Amino acid sequence: MDKILKFFKKLWLFKERLFLVILLGVLALNIYRIFVPPVPEIVKSPPMPEPPVVEDPPRLRLDVKGQYTGLVDRGPFSYYSDTDLDASGNVVKNAGVELLLIKQSASGRWRARLKTKSTKWWDEGDSFETFVLEKIDPVEQTVVVYVEKFAKSITLRVKE
């Protein structure tokens, strides 16, 4: 019995040191877990089924009154007018621009005289009002004008 009492007495005297050794062991174990993480298990997912094939619906004309496909097909930050078009979708009459004459200037460049709200001479690439003069063809006496109101390029011919 003396030996057991002696053992517990020494244990009582070294209890703080034993507690410190146990705490340092737990700290070392946690640091080991941080720097050497466990290897994650690789789980294979089942293969994805094939998506069903969906055919595109037929596109309707965008500029016809009463058609609402323009709300879906056109960008939400663009402006398009709801002007009336003829049966062929011709916007030349409604564009508000008319070609009067094509001539070569003194510098050798071709110029077109266009009538809008005013009548002026314009070079290729000039931007005026809501139009851009893209191309002048002196052989066929035509010009290509981009109309911002319709977001289209139209071809104008000299009236004779």
Side-chain angles (χ1 to χ4, degrees):
M1 191 72 172
D2 259 353
K3 289 186 180 185
I4 296 174
L5 285 175
K6 204 178 207 185
F7 172 74
F8 281 113
K9 197 174 195 181
K10 283 195 178 197
L11 189 63
W12 185 255
L13 291 175
F14 291 109
K15 68 179 184 271
E16 290 89 6
R17 291 180 187 162
L18 284 174
F19 189 71
L20 179 64
V21 168
I22 292 170
L23 283 180
L24 286 176
V26 171
L27 178 66
L29 180 64
N30 286 332
I31 289 174
Y32 177 78
R33 286 182 184 164
I34 290 173
F35 287 111
V36 183
V39 178
E41 294 181 25
I42 299 174
V43 178
K44 290 187 177 179
S45 61
M48 296 294 292
E50 292 287 327
V53 178
V54 178
E55 295 182 17
D56 289 337
R59 299 262 177 174
L60 300 176
R61 284 193 40 200
L62 297 176
D63 292 316
V64 178
K65 280 192 173 182
Q67 297 294 331
Y68 299 104
T69 57
L71 296 173
V72 176
D73 294 338
R74 292 180 179 169
F77 302 108
S78 301
Y79 171 75
Y80 294 90
S81 72
D82 291 333
T83 57
D84 292 327
L85 303 176
D86 58 5
S88 65
N90 193 358
V91 295
V92 176
K93 296 175 187 171
N94 300 329
V97 62
E98 184 181 337
L99 177 62
L100 300 176
L101 190 60
I102 295 177
K103 272 192 176 179
Q104 193 171 18
S105 65
S107 62
R109 294 180 4 191
W110 289 97
R111 302 189 73 184
R113 186 168 189 176
L114 298 173
K115 179 181 179 186
T116 56
K117 293 177 184 173
S118 62
T119 303
K120 291 186 180 178
W121 288 94
W122 301 101
D123 291 327
E124 251 182 42
D126 284 346
S127 177
F128 54 98
E129 295 178 18
T130 60
F131 308 102
V132 177
L133 182 57
E134 293 179 341
K135 182 181 175 188
I136 300 175
D137 187 2
V139 175
E140 294 184 18
Q141 293 289 305
T142 60
V143 295
V144 177
V145 177
Y146 178 76
V147 183
E148 292 175 3
K149 183 165 81 170
F150 301 114
K152 289 184 180 180
S153 293
I154 59 172
T155 303
L156 301 173
R157 188 172 298 277
V158 174
K159 290 186 180 182
E160 295 182 20

